[in-house]
Every structure is written in structure tokens, then in C-alpha cells.
Amino acid sequence: MIRPLRLFPLLLCLLLTGCNTAAAVGQRPIAVGFSCTAAGRYHGNEVAGKVERSSAGLLTLTLTKPDELNGLTMTWDGQTVTLDMLGLKWSLSPEKVPSAALGRRLLQALDAVVYTTADGVLTEDGRHKTTGELEGGITYTLYSDPETGALLSLEVPKEELYLTFADFTAV
């Protein structure tokens, strides 16, 4: 006959293993209510700028690189996209913006994170990894800090889009 005390360590291990799985995922990425800087590469070109986002469907991206577009602000408000540079403003329907445009892909990835039910996984280096699909079957990977939810980087390989986020502030 097996004594109940000998089974206790085995039972404890099984219970703790089940509990630890849910906690290992960490906090979901903060995809709304933030501002940060972004820098990286897009179709072989260096890009950088400031990203601001107050809610799903809304995004403001102010470019600092490439130099030719330094100061260009693109604002998605859910109904129009407004381009503003040197005091000249131009508004158009979001459907008129090419699906592969930098701002549109960034907006799509952040919206996908908001509307996804997947929790993501922790990587070996301790980052929270969220993957998904954008329109046209384009896949993305978003990395964030598992403790704070701060965005760390975004990869959209088919679009040659690789961004690193810094100075992340939740608002």
C-alpha cells in the first residue's frame, strides 16, 4: 500500500506545472494608448519617427527618416488619412492608401493585436511574442516586454519591415 505522503510531492508537481503555464505568457502588448519612437528598415530604406496611438483604428506617425520625408505626419482617424508636411495638408480615404504602406502596415499590426484572442508566447530571451496575419495573408511578429506590455519590435518579413520601438510611454 502506498502511503498518501509519498504521493503528495507528485501531486504538488502536477498542480504547480498546470498553474505555471498560464502565468508564463506575461502581459499582453500595449497596442493602444501609447507614444514611442520607432526606427528600422522598410523595403531597404532607413525609417524613423514618432508613433502615437490613443485607440484602435487611430494612429499618428511623424517621420524623421528618410531625410526627404523628415517632418511628414500621417494621421489615421478611422475615416480619413491626413498627410501633413510643411503646412500642406492632404486628406484621403484609407482605402486609397496602398496596403503595403508603412503607416498602414503598422496600423494593421497594432489593430490585429487589439482584436486577437491569442495570448502569445515567451521567447527564450524573455520577450513576449505575438504573431498574426494582416490583410492579404501577410504575417507579422510583434515583440513586447512581458512585464510592462511596452512594444519592443515589429517584423513583417514579406514587406521587409523591421522596426524597433524605444521611449515607450503608456498614456
Side-chain angles (χ1 to χ4, degrees):
M1 178 172 181
I2 298 176
R3 292 185 175 173
L5 287 178
R6 288 189 178 169
L7 291 176
F8 182 75
L10 177 63
L11 182 61
L12 185 60
C13 287
L14 290 173
L15 289 174
L16 290 178
T17 302
C19 293
N20 194 21
T21 305
V25 174
Q27 181 172 328
R28 289 178 53 91
I30 297 174
V32 294
F34 70 88
S35 71
C36 66
T37 58
R41 305 214 44 87
Y42 182 58
H43 290 290
N45 298 308
E46 184 179 4
V47 294
K50 182 173 182 172
V51 179
E52 298 174 291
R53 184 161 157 94
S54 59
S55 66
L58 306 179
L59 177 77
T60 299
L61 174 61
T62 303
L63 294 176
T64 56
K65 289 191 187 253
D67 291 336
E68 301 83 12
L69 298 176
N70 184 13
L72 172 65
T73 299
M74 297 173 274
T75 304
W76 278 258
D77 69 4
Q79 296 180 352
T80 60
V81 177
T82 303
L83 305 172
D84 184 357
M85 185 166 182
L86 301 173
L88 299 172
K89 288 187 179 184
W90 181 39
S91 295
L92 65 150
S93 169
E95 293 80 34
K96 301 283 185 187
V97 177
S99 62
L102 171 64
R104 186 164 178 179
R105 284 298 187 208
L106 179 57
L107 178 66
Q108 289 173 347
L110 294 171
D111 279 350
V113 169
V114 170
Y115 296 119
T116 187
T117 58
D119 286 330
V121 297
L122 285 180
T123 62
E124 288 182 11
D125 61 359
R127 298 178 297 164
H128 184 270
K129 176 181 175 182
T130 304
T131 57
E133 202 171 282
L134 307 175
E135 72 180 37
I138 305 295
T139 59
Y140 73 91
T141 303
L142 181 70
Y143 294 94
S144 60
D145 183 303
E147 292 180 20
T148 65
L151 303 182
L152 299 173
S153 63
L154 172 66
E155 299 173 358
V156 185
K158 182 149 181 137
E159 297 292 344
E160 300 174 42
L161 173 58
Y162 303 92
L163 293 176
T164 301
F165 302 105
D167 305 319
F168 191 90
T169 305
V171 292

